[in-house]
Amino acid sequence: MKTLDLKETIIPYIGETAPYISIPEHIIVNGNTIETEITDWNFNNENFTHLLKTLASLGSCSLYKLLNDSSKEKIYFLGEKLRIRKLSYKTPESVSITSESFLESQRKGKSHLIVKDIHSKEPLYSFELDYYIITQNAFQLFYKDYFNDVPVEYHDEKLPEASIEYSGDQHQFTISIMPFTPNQCKGHFENYPIVPFVYLGNCVLREIFKLLGGEGSHEIDSLEGYASKAMPTGVEFRVEVFQQKFLKNLTYFKCEIKDTTGVLYAVLIISMLSK
């Protein structure tokens, strides 16, 4: 099976579609394992979320293949939690990615991916994503309040503006993120526009890297995300951030993603290394 086969036999039957779904052009499928390569990659600073999106896309594809579903009805994979950890401090130009998925039950699954240096085979990142597996009928019932029958005609690649509000406490600040539009979230559950976690994470990382200052002065050592509620478009998010320096070169950020009424949607935990 190749990339074209995935686009014809898998992607049409999962809730996420292009342009949100992002898979490389060269795919090898071996049983329930998907292998691919990325060349000339650059996932520095907030662009790190582009790597997360690629890994999540591959994870969704390998999980669907594991289900071996023949109904041809859409199946929706909602991320419950993700974890990525840096295993090496090398930054090669080309990497290989291997994705394998596992079923915990009919309604829960997990994808595990390893990113390696394509030449030395040294592991660079370990990525895990836990999913809720939801049938089309159940998804339409659970998220009926998100339904929008207006077609999203184009993809707006520019993410919302954000700003930092300081509290006077050196360990706390708030990131205010302007509302997402359905155009910015195109492909992420069509007709049920939901803000992708990695897009909001991009906005959070963008502001944290601005705060840290200095181009290339910091890098992500680990990142964990826990979702408790689907994030709607058209809502301003306020991210309450607690920061603490644990080691001389390691800073911890706990980010609670809420709306202006205080409803909690997700938690993002980032460990940042200074170079």
Side-chain angles (χ1 to χ4, degrees), residues 117-147:
D117 182 324
I118 200 169
H119 299 295
S120 70
K121 309 302 181 185
E122 179 182 358
L124 304 175
Y125 291 99
S126 171
F127 176 84
E128 291 184 358
L129 181 56
D130 291 15
Y131 295 92
Y132 292 111
I133 303 170
I134 303 178
T135 63
Q136 185 170 10
N137 289 338
F139 185 90
Q140 291 172 346
L141 178 63
F142 293 158
Y143 297 102
K144 60 183 179 181
D145 293 338
Y146 290 72
F147 181 74

Side-chain angles (χ1 to χ4, degrees), residues 49-73:
T49 57
H50 300 332
L51 173 62
L52 298 183
K53 186 160 78 80
T54 298
L55 297 177
S57 298
L58 291 168
S60 294
C61 290
S62 63
L63 184 58
Y64 181 88
K65 191 171 188 309
L66 179 63
L67 290 174
N68 197 26
D69 186 82
S70 60
S71 68
K72 302 304 181 183
E73 290 188 357

Side-chain angles (χ1 to χ4, degrees), residues 2-54:
K2 301 179 181 179
T3 304
L4 180 61
D5 299 317
L6 286 182
K7 291 180 178 178
E8 293 179 349
T9 63
I10 292 182
I11 292 177
Y13 305 109
I14 59 179
E16 299 156 325
T17 60
Y20 178 75
I21 282 283
S22 174
I23 59 173
E25 286 301 320
H26 302 290
I27 298 286
I28 298 174
V29 178
N30 183 11
N32 294 321
T33 300
I34 293 179
E35 300 176 3
T36 189
E37 299 176 358
I38 300 177
T39 59
D40 299 322
W41 68 323
N42 180 3
F43 299 122
N44 294 329
N45 294 5
E46 66 268 24
N47 290 335
F48 189 76
T49 57
H50 300 332
L51 173 62
L52 298 183
K53 186 160 78 80
T54 298

Side-chain angles (χ1 to χ4, degrees), residues 223-243:
L223 184 150
E224 300 182 20
Y226 303 87
S228 58
K229 186 178 177 65
M231 295 181 288
T233 58
V235 170
E236 179 181 346
F237 292 103
R238 294 181 62 80
V239 184
E240 297 177 1
V241 183
F242 170 83
Q243 67 170 334

Side-chain angles (χ1 to χ4, degrees), residues 57-269:
S57 298
L58 291 168
S60 294
C61 290
S62 63
L63 184 58
Y64 181 88
K65 191 171 188 309
L66 179 63
L67 290 174
N68 197 26
D69 186 82
S70 60
S71 68
K72 302 304 181 183
E73 290 188 357
K74 281 187 180 291
I75 295 179
Y76 292 79
F77 301 129
L78 269 70
E80 177 191 13
K81 54 187 176 183
L82 66 83
R83 298 165 295 278
I84 186 166
R85 290 178 171 81
K86 192 174 182 66
L87 305 176
S88 169
Y89 297 102
K90 293 179 63 176
T91 308
E93 293 183 356
S94 302
V95 299
S96 65
I97 302 172
T98 303
S99 173
E100 188 173 7
S101 293
F102 310 89
L103 284 177
E104 298 179 353
S105 68
Q106 284 188 320
R107 294 292 170 256
K108 292 199 71 174
K110 180 191 296 285
S111 291
H112 180 234
L113 297 96
I114 291 289
V115 181
K116 297 181 178 180
D117 182 324
I118 200 169
H119 299 295
S120 70
K121 309 302 181 185
E122 179 182 358
L124 304 175
Y125 291 99
S126 171
F127 176 84
E128 291 184 358
L129 181 56
D130 291 15
Y131 295 92
Y132 292 111
I133 303 170
I134 303 178
T135 63
Q136 185 170 10
N137 289 338
F139 185 90
Q140 291 172 346
L141 178 63
F142 293 158
Y143 297 102
K144 60 183 179 181
D145 293 338
Y146 290 72
F147 181 74
N148 184 349
D149 60 357
V150 178
V152 179
E153 296 182 354
Y154 70 95
H155 180 215
D156 183 358
E157 296 184 7
K158 185 178 180 182
L159 296 181
E161 296 294 327
S163 60
I164 291 180
E165 300 172 9
Y166 297 97
S167 66
D169 184 334
Q170 63 175 338
H171 298 294
Q172 294 182 333
F173 59 91
T174 299
I175 300 174
S176 179
I177 301 175
M178 298 301 293
F180 284 79
T181 67
N183 296 84
Q184 290 167 329
C185 305
K186 181 174 173 58
H188 193 249
F189 309 129
E190 290 293 337
N191 296 119
Y192 295 85
I194 292 173
V195 177
F197 183 83
V198 294
Y199 286 4
L200 195 135
N202 182 289
C203 296
V204 171
L205 286 173
R206 184 181 66 202
E207 298 308 308
I208 288 177
F209 276 110
K210 285 182 184 177
L211 176 71
L212 294 173
E215 182 66 26
S217 63
H218 291 77
E219 63 182 342
I220 295 169
D221 183 62
S222 67
L223 184 150
E224 300 182 20
Y226 303 87
S228 58
K229 186 178 177 65
M231 295 181 288
T233 58
V235 170
E236 179 181 346
F237 292 103
R238 294 181 62 80
V239 184
E240 297 177 1
V241 183
F242 170 83
Q243 67 170 334
Q244 180 70 50
K245 184 179 286 291
F246 287 135
L247 300 172
K248 182 177 181 180
N249 66 336
L250 182 66
T251 306
Y252 164 96
F253 296 88
K254 180 181 179 182
C255 311
E256 295 185 348
I257 300 165
K258 302 179 180 181
D259 61 20
T260 55
T261 68
V263 173
L264 178 67
Y265 289 85
V267 175
L268 179 63
I269 298 173

